[in-house]
Amino acid sequence: MNKKTYKNLIILSIGLALVLILMIVLFARNRGNQNIYTGFLKPKEGAWSEIMNGAEDIQRLSYLGEKIVDNTPAYGVEIESIISGNKTTITQVWRDKTSNEVVKIVSKLEGENEVICIGHSLMNILIPSFDSSLPSIITPEKYNPNNKYTYSTFTTNTGKTVQAAKFVDENNMEIWISSEVPFGIVKVLDFNNEAGNGEIIAYLKNFGLSGAKPKISELEMLNCKKMNFPNLAK
């Protein structure tokens, strides 16, 4: 073997080694990415998140843990949100811990004592997408880790950085979901505007894994006042 051939073999070997190293790095990175998103977080009681809807509206979601509600093992989420006139409405949604079906919904205005029962079927008539808009701790099928998505990171205004999976739905909305955040939602962008550059319609302001306390007690929830509404299903 002459010197020129020997030199070419060395160069070729170095090149192959660099390609192999690059493939190993990319493989390891992809394996790491696969572990970043595993579906919705299974929170502990007291976990919470704050979502900004638009420029001013804040929605605070708190995990209430598990209880027997109307003879059904269920888990609860309390939703605190600003409504017109700067009043705050507090709503609790209790779901069957196995099927994720809604078991009970109750609500009251902050500062008032009366807690009313909200008819689930009525809400579905008034708002066809009502169920899909409710917070959950069970991963919806559309955000299944086996579905197609891309990766990014997101940093809250309070300096907390999380890994996120980005899903695009049938309405050209991009939804960022994180396994590190209670109830999953990190950011929602609408790509249906004229510029097509993705208008932010909701984003995570802050979150914590403990510390939240319910503003509707268990006794108030179980003894909510039933309201008589007209039968809109007719």
Side-chain angles (χ1 to χ4, degrees), residues 100-112:
N100 212 35
E101 294 293 323
V102 173
V103 175
K104 191 166 192 173
I105 305 174
V106 301
S107 186
K108 76 170 185 176
L109 289 175
E110 188 173 46
E112 297 189 8

Side-chain angles (χ1 to χ4, degrees), residues 167-223:
F167 295 85
V168 178
D169 69 10
E170 66 279 4
N171 299 313
N172 206 26
M173 306 279 280
E174 185 177 86
I175 300 95
W176 294 33
I177 305 291
S178 177
S179 297
E180 302 173 61
V181 176
F183 317 111
I185 296 295
V186 167
K187 187 160 67 171
V188 180
L189 298 97
D190 184 357
F191 283 89
N192 293 302
N193 57 352
E194 290 185 4
N197 55 1
E199 178 187 1
I200 298 175
I201 60 176
Y203 67 90
L204 180 69
K205 181 182 179 183
N206 197 7
F207 72 96
L209 301 181
S210 63
K213 302 294 183 184
K215 294 192 173 181
I216 296 177
S217 70
E218 181 179 359
L219 186 62
E220 289 176 318
M221 178 269 292
L222 293 174
N223 294 286

Side-chain angles (χ1 to χ4, degrees), residues 29-81:
R29 182 178 297 171
N30 286 334
R31 282 182 61 86
N33 282 346
Q34 289 172 1
N35 293 328
I36 288 172
Y37 179 66
T38 56
F40 277 24
L41 175 72
K42 302 300 182 188
K44 293 183 179 180
E45 185 173 340
W48 57 275
S49 68
E50 288 182 348
I51 305 294
M52 292 296 298
N53 294 310
E56 298 180 357
D57 293 348
I58 301 177
Q59 195 172 65
R60 182 181 173 93
L61 311 175
S62 304
Y63 181 58
L64 304 173
E66 298 180 2
K67 298 186 188 304
I68 301 298
V69 179
D70 294 346
N71 299 316
T72 303
Y75 72 86
V77 180
E78 190 169 84
I79 309 163
E80 183 179 354
S81 53

